Amino acid sequence: SQQGEEDPQALSIQEGENATMNCSYKTSINNLQWYRQNSGRGLVHLILIRSNEREKHSGRLRVTLDTSKKSSSLLITASRAADTASYFCATDPSGNTPLVFGKGTRLSVIA
Amino acid sequence: GAGVSQSPSNKVTEKGKDVELRCDPISGHTALYWYRQSLGQGLEFLIYFQGNSAPDKSGLPSDRFSAERTGGSVSTLTIQRTQQEDSAVYLCASSPLLSAKNIQYFGAGTRLSVL
């Protein structure tokens, strides 16, 4: 069964706006990762946040992690049309086992 | 170097036929994963290879599904007697498993259509 659940399922915004996607999970984790998938392509790793970290930045990406609430958020600032993709969170229970992916958030950035 | 390579990119088959999907992981990556993604859905774990250890087959949906990884490199996912519900994109990923950071690198997938 899938552990990560993203919210919302779909999000449509104007270019330049910020996009926030949320992920909830059920069990304890070693780390949580976010991936992007462009239509018809494989997934690309964006950012990893460890269970003892609360916030992490990478370029226009900001990820937060609240282990007490078992939730994470991905913020994309100043969105661009090229950010249009599906975004998945993936939880890693132990660091060397299969990741557990959510169903993803489909982000559409309108120019 | 080259990324994860999967072939074929598309496969159309008739119900009841067997299919083989191939994955070439990134050289040196010890871990290899197969996932299935149905239309508009997340990724469903199928099977995991790590070095010379016995594979984790816990995600395989039925005994019609099997996978091999020869020489710790190339992997083949075989689906026997395909059914229409097997239609999906099959994604392969590999990971170097450095510092217990299981960052996975994905191929573009094989889109399987069972008619």
Side-chain angles (χ1 to χ4, degrees):
Chain A
S1 63
Q2 291 173 327
Q3 170 161 239
E5 292 289 339
E6 289 89 343
D7 168 59
Q9 291 186 340
L11 179 62
S12 183
I13 59 173
Q14 296 290 324
E15 203 167 32
E17 293 180 339
N18 296 341
T20 300
M21 290 159 270
N22 303 295
C23 169
S24 60
Y25 58 93
K26 297 176 183 175
T27 62
S28 62
I29 60 172
N30 179 61
N31 65 62
L32 184 144
Q33 304 178 35
W34 285 90
Y35 287 79
R36 181 184 72 201
Q37 184 180 36
N38 288 80
S39 180
R41 307 293 294 274
L43 279 72
V44 174
H45 176 262
L46 294 176
I47 195 166
L48 178 151
I49 186 165
R50 291 188 182 276
S51 60
N52 61 354
E53 296 176 312
R54 291 296 167 259
E55 188 170 313
K56 202 159 183 181
H57 297 254
S58 177
R60 294 184 295 113
L61 304 181
R62 172 179 165 244
V63 169
T64 62
L65 179 64
D66 187 335
T67 53
S68 67
K69 295 181 180 178
K70 292 187 170 55
S71 67
S72 173
S73 67
L74 171 67
L75 169 68
I76 304 175
T77 60
S79 64
R80 306 166 182 168
D83 295 329
T84 294
S86 291
Y87 292 82
F88 295 88
C89 70
T91 51
D92 185 353
S94 69
N96 63 353
T97 53
L99 300 178
V100 182
F101 287 84
K103 293 186 178 181
T105 293
R106 293 187 307 279
L107 173 65
S108 297
V109 181
I110 302 167
Chain B
V4 177
S5 177
Q6 291 188 246
S7 61
S9 54
N10 286 283
K11 177 72 177 178
V12 180
T13 190
E14 294 179 349
K15 178 181 173 181
K17 295 284 180 69
D18 298 351
V19 295
E20 283 190 354
L21 313 180
R22 176 186 168 105
C23 173
D24 258 296
I26 293 173
S27 178
H29 282 194
T30 58
L32 185 149
Y33 306 83
W34 283 99
Y35 296 91
R36 178 169 70 176
Q37 185 178 30
S38 300
L39 186 63
Q41 298 295 308
L43 276 69
E44 175 190 5
F45 163 70
L46 297 177
I47 188 168
Y48 159 52
F49 297 89
Q50 163 55 357
N52 296 321
S53 303
D56 176 354
K57 303 179 182 180
S58 60
L60 295 178
S62 77
D63 59 8
R64 296 186 296 105
F65 288 73
S66 63
E68 291 185 339
R69 189 180 185 190
T70 54
S73 181
V74 172
S75 177
T76 302
L77 176 68
T78 301
I79 308 174
Q80 296 179 311
R81 305 180 302 282
T82 52
Q83 305 294 313
Q84 288 184 332
E85 59 263 30
D86 299 335
S87 296
V89 176
Y90 289 81
L91 291 165
C92 174
S94 68
S95 173
L97 288 184
L98 297 175
S99 304
K101 286 183 181 179
N102 188 6
I103 293 173
Q104 298 186 9
Y105 299 79
F106 283 80
T110 293
R111 182 175 299 278
L112 175 66
S113 300
V114 182
L115 305 179

